[in-house]
């Protein structure tokens, strides 16, 4: 299985154990992949793993909520081609399917996506110790805005990658579970072009089509088009070590363990501190 967390959880529930998700990052520290292409590769592995859950829905003894959990994990990736198909349908009709329904759907999806980010931001800002640990209010808010911009640009790139991968699954397309790249790794322009030509081509095609058929709605499409058309330079730029060093010097997007005063891990929770 290429995505095992949900499977382990439902099997533990079947065995009679309770399974809880704790909003606590003290147990592990796992960095993101160092560039957009590695990020996509990891997400496609998770995508293939979640599709493998289709074989497990009929396992005997699973609780109803566990089957629902597996279905939600599958739907998380099926949503990418559904989102693209919904947008293409809007272009074909030269208008939204229903403007009021489309607006409600858009706000609902954006709200669900942003709610965890906003809740975390508020929780950090409301605690004095957290504000200090994360670098102060200006750095926290600036980092949140940068993360939102990165999310806005990468979301359509990831959606196209997942949709293309799902379309290829019935025809034998697969990804393996190779060692993940964690060290700093720049992307050459040629590598970025090979990995993201589909997103760029689709973005240019969509831009021309939207401008031709519904120019008044072009601005609504601009975030999606910017992410797709700019995917190659964005991948190169975001993986450049100089950009990372600039962030480090300004304390942006850092975690408390990266702060200059951090001297290593503190005492384990529940153990007496030694002074």
């Amino acid at each position: 299985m290429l995505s095992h967390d949900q499977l382990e959880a439902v099997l533990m529930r079947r065995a009679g154990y309770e399974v809880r998700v704790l909003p606590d990052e003290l147990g592990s520290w796992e960095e993101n992949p160092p560039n957009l292409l590695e990020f996509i590769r990891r997400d496609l592995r998770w995508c293939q793993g979640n599709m493998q859950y289709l074989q497990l829905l009929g396992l005997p003894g699973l609780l109803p909520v566990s089957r629902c959990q597996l279905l939600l994990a599958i739907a998380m990736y099926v949503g990418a081609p559904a989102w693209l198909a919904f947008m293409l349908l809007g272009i074909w009709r030269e208008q939204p399917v229903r403007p009021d329904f489309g607006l409600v759907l858009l706000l609902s999806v954006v709200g669900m996506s942003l709610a965890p980010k906003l809740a975390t931001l508020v929780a950090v800002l409301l605690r004095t110790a957290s504000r200090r640990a994360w670098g102060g209010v200006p750095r926290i808010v600036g980092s949140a805005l940068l993360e939102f911009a990165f999310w806005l640009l990468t979301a359509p790139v990831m959606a196209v990658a997942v949709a293309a991968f799902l379309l290829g699954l019935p025809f034998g397309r697969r990804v393996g579970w190779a060692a993940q790249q964690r060290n700093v790794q720049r992307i050459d322009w040629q590598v970025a072009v090979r990995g993201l030509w589909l997103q760029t081509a689709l973005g240019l095609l969509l831009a021309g089509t939207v401008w031709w058929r519904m120019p008044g709605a072009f601005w609504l499409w601009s975030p999606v088009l910017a992410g797709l058309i700019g995917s190659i330079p964005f991948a190169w730029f975001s993986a450049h070590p100089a950009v990372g060093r600039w962030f480090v010097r300004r304390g942006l997007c850092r975690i408390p363990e990266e702060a200059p005063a951090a001297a290593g891990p503190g005492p384990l929770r529940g153990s007496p501190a030694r002074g």
Side-chain angles (χ1 to χ4, degrees):
M1 301 298 295
L2 296 179
S3 181
H4 54 87
D5 297 347
Q6 303 283 353
L7 174 60
E8 292 162 356
V10 300
L11 292 180
M12 289 176 68
R13 289 288 288 135
R14 186 177 69 170
Y17 293 94
E18 287 190 358
V19 179
R20 299 178 183 271
V21 178
L22 301 178
D24 191 341
E25 296 181 348
L26 297 179
S28 65
W29 181 16
E30 181 179 356
E31 291 183 298
N32 262 326
N35 58 62
L36 182 56
L37 295 181
E38 287 292 320
F39 191 86
I40 291 174
R41 185 167 71 91
R42 184 185 67 172
D43 205 54
L44 295 185
R45 174 174 64 81
W46 288 347
C47 174
Q48 182 177 331
N50 282 23
M51 293 305 107
Q52 291 174 325
Y53 293 162
L54 288 168
Q55 309 168 34
L56 308 176
L57 292 173
L59 281 178
L62 294 185
L63 297 176
V65 69
S66 296
R67 300 187 198 278
C68 178
Q69 188 175 346
L70 293 177
L71 283 171
L72 289 175
I74 295 168
M76 180 173 64
Y77 284 101
V78 175
W83 175 61
L84 292 174
F86 190 78
M87 292 194 301
L88 293 176
L89 180 62
I91 296 178
W92 177 67
R93 291 172 55 93
E94 299 188 34
Q95 61 181 351
V97 178
R98 270 186 54 185
D100 55 343
F101 176 75
L103 181 60
V104 171
L105 180 62
L106 174 64
L107 294 178
S108 300
V109 172
V110 172
M112 287 189 294
S113 300
L114 293 182
K117 302 175 186 290
L118 294 176
T120 302
L121 180 62
V122 171
V124 171
L125 292 176
L126 289 179
R127 296 179 174 89
T128 302
S130 296
R131 291 197 302 270
R132 291 174 180 169
W134 290 90
V137 174
R139 287 193 177 97
I140 294 171
V141 174
S143 299
L145 292 175
L146 281 169
E147 193 277 337
F148 175 75
F150 270 59
W151 170 76
L152 198 64
L153 291 172
T154 56
V157 176
M158 301 301 298
V160 172
V162 169
F165 181 75
L166 287 176
L167 290 175
L169 273 180
F171 303 98
R173 185 176 180 185
R174 297 291 186 271
V175 293
W177 196 341
Q180 298 184 51
Q181 177 61 249
R182 297 296 184 188
N183 298 324
V184 175
Q185 184 183 43
R186 294 180 57 174
I187 294 182
D188 293 331
W189 283 103
Q190 296 88 341
V191 175
V193 170
R194 286 198 302 269
L196 297 166
W197 69 268
L198 178 61
Q199 283 85 346
T200 304
L202 181 60
L204 292 171
L205 179 62
L206 286 176
T209 304
V210 171
W211 185 259
W212 171 49
R213 294 181 65 89
M214 42 196 305
F218 191 84
W219 68 274
L220 290 171
W221 280 79
S222 57
V224 174
L225 298 176
L228 294 175
I229 296 174
S231 58
I232 292 174
F234 178 76
W236 177 88
F237 172 81
S238 59
H240 201 288
V243 177
R245 289 192 294 268
W246 186 88
F247 276 45
V248 170
R249 286 195 299 269
R250 285 154 181 81
L252 293 171
C253 301
R254 79 179 187 195
I255 59 177
E257 288 81 358
E258 294 176 310
L268 294 176
R269 181 180 300 177
S271 63
R274 298 181 180 179

